[in-house]
Amino acid sequence: MEPGTTYDLLIVGGGINGAGIARDAAGRGLAVALCEQGDFASATSSASSKLIHGGLRYLEHGELRMVRHALSEREALLAIAPHISHQLRFVLPHVRELRPAWMIRLGLLLYDHLGARSSLPSSQAVDLQTSRYGDALKPELRKGFVYSDGWIDDARLVILNLRSASLHGATLFPRTRFITAHPEHRAWAARLQSTDGRWIDVRARVLVNAAGPWVDEVLSATSATPTRPRVRLVKGSHIVVQRLYEGDHAYLLQNDDRRVVFVIPFGSNHTLIGTTDLAVNSPLTPMTISPPEVEYLCKASTRYLRKPVSPQQMVWSYAGVRALFNDHHQDPSSVTRDYTLALDQVHGSTVLSILGGKLTVYRRLAEAALAKLKPWLEPSRGTWTASEPLPGGAVGAGGMKGLSEELCGRHPGVPAALVHALARRHGTLTDAVLRGVHNEADLGIHFGAQLFEREVEYLIRHEWVQTGDDVLWRRTKAGLDMSAAERSRLDEYVRERVSRQGLDPSPARGGG
Ligand SMILES: Cc1cc2nc3c(=O)[nH]c(=O)nc-3n(C[C@H](O)[C@H](O)[C@H](O)COP(=O)(O)OP(=O)(O)OC[C@H]3O[C@@H](n4cnc5c(N)ncnc54)[C@H](O)[C@@H]3O)c2cc1C
């Protein structure tokens, strides 16, 4: 965009909701700018359980509409992002005192049929004494149920949406904070500030407030002051331990407090256990897990698993804040997980705030946001994101297996295990990562855990990487399998490389 031009949309927040709206809008020919105060996906959108699911437990809260929408979105995401997602079988051990079997069976039947159509296997009852699904569980657990859901790499989902937005012409400002906006002739004059202190002025017809936990603060900075907070902040934490069991299935474990805890395979060598639900007052609350939360998760899994889980086993943890639409429920676990789109007018200028939502429904939320903004925008086409694969996602009829085989054939000098790992992050773009690589030496420095200089360079060039953490915990999860020394070597490399190149952090393009 030329300096001085007016964007159709200025989106505040580079989490999944901001990224999804940016992609959808840019693909419809709208002029889009997006700013993110930190690294993209550095807040809630990299701290989720990484499930694309309807949310079996929300059926109990009567959220049928939300579950139905989420189940159909699960299907759409598995199709447009097959490289960073996969289906997952969940095992739900039956404990009579917690929920009767008929209730679970009924819930699962509903879950199987609520979405319009499902490519995933249906639920079934299972004898845990004879099935492999029972191997990791305490021997006294006899009966269980198995059902299907989906898994997705949340942080990569954000990055791929932003890459797509950028390819459609969006201007992205990473590490750039929205400071304020003033209404001006039915548009907004906004001030942004990048982490290196530079001020950036942007004019936009409409402001989209996708600041997640900071949504109320951003709204206040536009002089649209809601009388009471529109979101409730609920912290959720996860722990990661060395792999607890064989098999690629997950567990859904019921707790006495009527909550459920997920136990999910995480990469090849680890197991993820989450989550907690704790009300917090501010997005600035330190986002680290507390000792009582660790205890809670260990206790919930030890109740069911053959091998006890103790806090000493924890190798990593992360925490994030759900910004839930404030429906004034007392219990944090009962607050609706559905989203609300709130329009405010300030002296004739429009701001749309995204309240609540789930990773799973981000695409649909983006469509709803653009439908709501129709009176102020003139898109050149209609909805399009349901069937257009995300970058790297057009894997072809052979699916991921076929793609991996083709890639191994095209890159015979690269170890097959590395090609598979790259395909799971980059899909068809693996060819771009490996361009000109003929043998292992061409991959450059090995930082550990299958992470080579070649991929790091690609991430710096195309995925807005500025620090080691961006690579270790968001663009990849290589940090989990690397030593502290390896991680700090990578961080030094990235920082040195970024400063040597004098890469301008904003605005940035992720195409190519
Ligand atoms: C523990 C936990 C588990 C979850 N598990 C799942 C799950 O398994 N499946 C699922 O579907 N959903 C899950 N969710 C919900 C899902 O993660 C969130 O709904 C989603 O990530 C919210 O995305 P967002 O873009 O609204 O917010 P965020 O990802 O928080 O993005 C908002 C962004 O705005 C930026 N920002 C704020 N203020 C400013 C400013 N002034 N200037 C510039 N940028 C600013 C922030 O830095 C942030 O990156 C989970 C949530 C939590 C907390």
Side-chain angles (χ1 to χ4, degrees):
M1 290 278 292
E2 294 299 312
T5 45
T6 301
Y7 289 94
D8 291 310
L9 296 176
L10 169 61
I11 300 167
V12 181
I16 191 57
N17 287 327
I21 295 169
R23 176 188 196 220
D24 194 340
R28 297 194 204 197
L30 296 170
V32 175
L34 178 147
C35 68
E36 163 55 51
Q37 63 186 355
D39 180 28
F40 293 127
S42 54
T44 323
S45 297
S46 55
S48 80
S49 304
K50 301 163 210 319
L51 298 176
I52 37 175
H53 62 161
L56 187 56
R57 81 182 182 85
Y58 305 132
L59 289 178
E60 265 183 349
H61 297 272
E63 302 223 42
L64 290 191
R65 191 191 79 110
M66 187 193 80
V67 175
R68 194 177 66 240
H69 289 164
L71 287 173
S72 69
E73 280 308 291
R74 181 183 72 182
E75 209 62 34
L77 292 189
L78 287 168
I80 65 171
H83 47 328
I84 57 162
S85 68
H86 57 80
Q87 49 175 279
L88 190 59
R89 286 296 264 174
F90 269 92
V91 181
L92 196 171
H94 176 55
V95 180
R96 195 178 316 166
E97 314 84 83
L98 296 180
R99 283 172 186 86
W102 67 262
M103 184 195 263
I104 296 181
R105 227 178 271 124
L106 194 67
L108 288 173
L109 195 70
L110 201 58
Y111 204 67
D112 282 341
H113 296 289
L114 212 49
R117 81 195 150 83
S118 175
S119 59
L120 306 185
S122 309
S123 62
Q124 62 186 81
V126 64
D127 178 352
L128 296 173
Q129 305 274 296
T130 54
S131 153
R132 70 187 173 93
Y133 293 134
D135 291 352
L137 297 171
K138 292 218 160 106
E140 60 268 30
L141 293 162
R142 297 177 159 274
K143 198 169 157 185
F145 300 90
V146 184
Y147 70 97
S148 297
D149 251 326
W151 183 95
I152 199 155
D153 185 327
D154 51 4
R156 289 208 62 74
L157 182 65
V158 175
I159 294 298
L160 296 183
N161 271 279
L162 289 169
R163 284 197 67 169
S164 174
S166 175
L167 289 166
H168 284 100
T171 305
L172 307 179
F173 297 96
R175 294 178 154 91
T176 302
R177 192 169 155 72
F178 166 86
I179 305 293
T180 184
H182 299 290
E184 210 177 80
H185 310 298
R186 299 187 167 273
W188 292 96
R191 291 220 89 185
L192 317 178
Q193 189 175 33
S194 68
T195 40
D196 61 10
R198 279 178 311 118
W199 290 98
I200 300 161
D201 291 312
V202 171
R203 248 185 87 81
R205 245 186 269 278
V206 171
L207 195 62
V208 175
N209 175 7
W214 291 265
V215 77
D216 286 328
E217 277 82 347
V218 165
L219 198 58
S220 306
T222 64
S223 352
T225 22
T227 49
R228 56 184 176 194
R230 289 185 174 177
V231 287
R232 287 269 302 276
L233 303 182
V234 179
K235 177 185 165 197
S237 303
H238 293 83
I239 61 171
V240 177
V241 296
Q242 293 294 346
R243 194 183 181 104
L244 290 174
Y245 56 90
E246 291 306 312
D248 49 12
H249 55 284
Y251 289 98
L252 182 83
L253 307 177
Q254 307 174 71
N255 229 349
D256 288 330
D257 58 7
R258 295 203 68 78
R259 296 192 64 256
V260 291
V261 165
F262 301 117
V263 177
I264 307 170
F266 198 47
S268 316
N269 306 318
H270 295 91
T271 300
L272 178 70
I273 305 175
T275 167
T276 53
D277 263 346
L278 284 179
V280 293
N281 291 326
S282 157
L284 300 175
T285 306
M287 274 314 120
T288 48
I289 192 167
S290 64
E293 287 179 280
V294 178
E295 285 290 344
Y296 175 90
L297 295 174
C298 290
K299 200 170 153 211
S301 28
T302 297
R303 174 176 185 170
Y304 291 90
L305 298 182
R306 208 175 273 257
K307 288 193 203 145
V309 183
S310 69
Q312 293 72 35
Q313 284 168 259
M314 184 172 88
V315 295
W316 191 50
S317 66
Y318 60 85
V321 182
R322 303 175 179 90
L324 304 176
F325 173 61
N326 194 357
D327 61 3
H328 304 287
H329 259 100
Q330 288 299 312
D331 174 12
S333 300
S334 303
V335 180
T336 180
R337 264 51 176 173
D338 210 351
Y339 63 80
T340 295
L341 304 174
L343 266 183
D344 285 281
Q345 296 280 325
V346 186
H347 302 302
S349 301
T350 305
V351 51
L352 179 76
S353 297
I354 313 300
L355 312 172
K358 293 183 64 61
L359 193 74
T360 309
V361 294
Y362 84 91
R363 200 202 57 78
R364 191 185 178 100
L365 180 152
E367 285 183 351
L370 290 175
K372 194 129 186 163
L373 291 173
K374 209 164 168 212
W376 298 275
L377 303 171
E378 287 161 19
S380 57
R381 70 192 272 210
T383 55
W384 65 282
T385 55
S387 53
E388 182 97 6
L390 283 159
V395 300
M400 281 307 290
K401 192 165 177 288
L403 175 70
S404 278
E405 280 163 11
E406 283 170 33
L407 288 168
C408 284
R410 283 202 289 277
H411 303 281
V414 181
L418 176 61
V419 174
H420 294 315
L422 290 173
R424 275 276 156 214
R425 291 200 273 272
H426 304 283
T428 58
L429 293 172
T430 301
D431 283 321
V433 179
L434 293 177
R435 191 165 295 143
V437 171
H438 302 292
N439 51 48
E440 230 174 310
D442 292 336
L443 292 166
I445 303 167
H446 181 217
F447 292 102
Q450 305 264 33
L451 185 66
F452 286 84
E453 185 179 2
R454 167 54 68 122
E455 186 181 8
V456 174
E457 283 295 322
Y458 177 88
L459 296 174
I460 292 172
R461 216 167 295 132
H462 299 290
E463 297 194 359
W464 307 282
V465 156
Q466 299 267 310
T467 72
D469 279 358
D470 302 350
V471 177
L472 294 168
W473 306 113
R474 289 183 286 276
R475 305 310 183 275
T476 78
K477 292 287 181 291
L480 269 178
D481 293 300
M482 286 165 72
S483 67
E486 287 172 330
R487 293 197 292 264
S488 97
R489 182 173 178 228
L490 173 81
D491 187 53
E492 266 167 44
Y493 174 91
V494 172
R495 286 177 192 276
E496 202 274 322
R497 171 70 181 70
V498 168
S499 75
R500 185 158 41 89
Q501 291 283 306
L503 283 184
D504 182 358
S506 60
R509 292 207 167 266

